[in-house]
Amino acid sequence: MSRIGFLPVPLPAGVTLTDKGGQVEVKGPKGVLTVPIADGVTLEVKDGEATLARRDDSKPLRALHGLTRSLLANAVHGVTTGYERVLRVVGTGYRVEPKGKGLSLSVGFSHTVEFPLPDGITARVEDRNTTIILNGIDKQKIGQAAANLRAIRPPDAYKGKGIRYADERISLKPGKAAGK
């Protein structure tokens, strides 16, 4: 049985938590995030640590206890150091260029694809316009933006061309010629 919910969340210097009735506002050097607190879960802050307690041991409340603790820990990490997700564009002639508050992708379509970045997320393009680095304080927004970018042109199963995460391994299919 997991006991994630009982682990204290360390609060680095410069991070403050403010209870707003069902939500906690996490302020840090990089910004402000709001974390929902589940009904039946209470927050206590003392000695530079935040601890969560639950009302009873019912199965749904145990799950929400661990979830709330993980969301709070992710918010504290986000407002102190932030999150980063790296994507690579693989393919001959495939490239990405920053354009205003978004990205312009040339990934094998007859037209360029414009990708607007969500609020709170910044992008850098490096390595001869083939590497996209997304930065932000909200882990969920970063992951969703990276997934939406990858969905524009997912990696091909035969040649591996497309947009992929930097740490993603693609297993290529052999193709027709390999079967003979």
Side-chain angles (χ1 to χ4, degrees), residues 90-92 94 155-162 164 170-174:
V90 178
T92 305
Y94 287 14
D156 178 74
Y158 295 98
K159 293 184 180 179
K161 294 168 39 170
R164 63 175 80 168
I170 306 293
S171 57
L172 300 179
K173 291 184 177 180

Side-chain angles (χ1 to χ4, degrees), residues 27-136:
K27 286 185 186 177
K30 290 198 176 259
V32 179
L33 287 175
T34 304
V35 177
I37 300 294
D39 289 338
V41 177
T42 57
L43 173 71
E44 183 180 337
V45 180
K46 66 177 177 181
D47 298 332
E49 289 183 336
T51 55
L52 294 164
R54 60 180 180 243
R55 179 180 56 227
D56 57 43
D57 276 346
S58 65
K59 191 168 185 172
L61 196 55
R62 285 194 316 239
L64 288 173
H65 185 210
L67 171 71
T68 303
R69 190 262 176 213
S70 293
L71 292 175
L72 185 63
N74 288 341
V76 169
H77 182 273
V79 297
T80 54
T81 59
Y83 287 100
E84 179 176 279
R85 193 72 163 137
V86 180
L87 293 103
R88 300 224 188 278
V89 180
V90 178
T92 305
Y94 287 14
R95 65 184 175 280
V96 182
E97 296 171 353
K99 188 173 187 182
K101 290 189 176 187
L103 299 170
S104 177
L105 299 113
S106 298
V107 287
F109 297 119
S110 61
H111 58 284
T112 59
V113 178
E114 304 298 326
F115 183 80
L117 290 171
D119 292 337
I121 294 183
T122 59
R124 290 191 329 264
V125 178
E126 294 179 352
D127 197 26
R128 292 190 229 163
N129 295 343
T130 60
T131 302
I132 305 165
I133 302 171
L134 299 175
N135 292 306

Side-chain angles (χ1 to χ4, degrees), residues 11-23:
L11 300 175
V15 175
T16 59
L17 300 182
T18 308
D19 192 5
K20 300 239 176 180
Q23 294 185 340

